[in-house]
Amino acid sequence: TPRVRLTVLDFTGEDIVNRPETDFPLEREKPIMLYLDAKSGALVDSLPTEEAACGYFCGDEHPYCTDPVEEFNHDDGKGKVTFTYEFQEDTEVVGYMKLRVWAEVKGHDELDLYLRILTLDSNDQIVMKKRGMFKFSGPDARLRGSLREIDPKQTKGYRVRQHFKNPQRFHEGEIVPIDVMFVPCSQIFHKGQKLRLVIAGYDRSEERRVGKE
């Protein structure tokens, strides 16, 4: 009996169901690092050479979102920023994804991060996996910024874990790294399809269920 049975989702084709594997995470996986390009809104293969920043403003109903900053490329009140990567060949993404952001809060001492991975077709239209009334857009993650401290005993390589025991509030002018793990997922992206990372300051799960970006 296989130790692991894996299902790989294909948002535009047939899923691979119950594929036997010897272990998880897969021993043959090849971790790939992508960088956030705040100027272009892209996920890129190499570290951008030009310094840039982006931010968002959620409004008064979301207390941990900041006022828009003129020198940032912000989203004019939509409460999110996005980064996009286009696949040049069919690629199977299996297991864990981790995001590291360098974050600053203006006017507050706390923030919330709500993260989503979306699949786009070659025309930048969102593609979802549908099961009855439920629409699955991809893995997500969330973390309160003050609880970002890593638990070294539970962290293995890029698979980080927080211990949630030592809240660290933000201070004016402080820029700090935050690592967030997504729930594991297995999906194939076809050539020309795009992965879009959404970083938001509030829970967008309702929009995920009804198929909005």
Side-chain angles (χ1 to χ4, degrees), residues 95-106:
Y96 296 91
M97 287 184 278
K98 186 194 79 170
L99 173 70
R100 166 167 282 192
V101 294
W102 291 85
E104 178 185 10
V105 178
K106 292 184 177 293

Side-chain angles (χ1 to χ4, degrees), residues 49-201:
T49 57
E50 185 176 347
E51 183 176 327
C54 62
Y56 51 75
F57 171 61
C58 292
D60 294 337
E61 68 272 23
H62 305 297
Y64 296 144
C65 295
T66 66
D67 293 329
V69 181
E70 292 302 324
E71 66 267 26
F72 284 6
N73 296 319
H74 60 79
D75 70 343
D76 297 323
K78 297 179 182 178
K80 63 181 177 65
V81 291
T82 63
F83 299 88
T84 305
Y85 179 82
E86 182 174 348
F87 288 90
Q88 302 303 313
E89 60 183 2
D90 288 0
T91 304
E92 192 174 293
V93 179
V94 177
Y96 296 91
M97 287 184 278
K98 186 194 79 170
L99 173 70
R100 166 167 282 192
V101 294
W102 291 85
E104 178 185 10
V105 178
K106 292 184 177 293
H108 296 283
D109 62 358
E110 182 63 286
L111 66 81
D112 288 331
L113 289 174
Y114 291 88
L115 313 175
R116 293 174 55 202
I117 297 295
L118 299 177
T119 300
L120 309 182
D121 63 19
S122 58
N123 297 314
D124 289 339
Q125 298 299 306
I126 298 174
V127 181
M128 292 199 171
K129 198 67 180 179
K130 299 179 181 179
R131 287 290 183 269
M133 297 180 63
F134 182 78
K135 300 177 182 180
F136 177 68
S137 62
D140 57 10
R142 62 185 64 189
L143 181 70
R144 176 148 292 183
S146 64
L147 299 177
R148 62 188 178 273
E149 188 173 42
I150 300 299
D151 183 348
K153 294 182 179 180
Q154 297 295 323
T155 295
K156 297 181 180 179
Y158 66 88
R159 297 190 293 276
V160 299
R161 297 289 185 272
Q162 285 81 17
H163 55 53
F164 305 108
K165 294 179 179 179
N166 183 29
Q168 298 175 334
R169 295 283 183 168
F170 290 80
H171 302 286
E172 189 70 25
E174 180 184 37
I175 301 175
V176 301
I178 304 177
D179 295 311
V180 190
M181 289 295 300
F182 286 82
V183 296
C185 186
S186 301
Q187 180 183 345
I188 186 167
F189 289 86
H190 295 287
K191 180 180 179 180
Q193 289 184 334
K194 300 173 184 178
L195 178 154
R196 174 163 290 172
L197 167 67
V198 181
I199 304 175

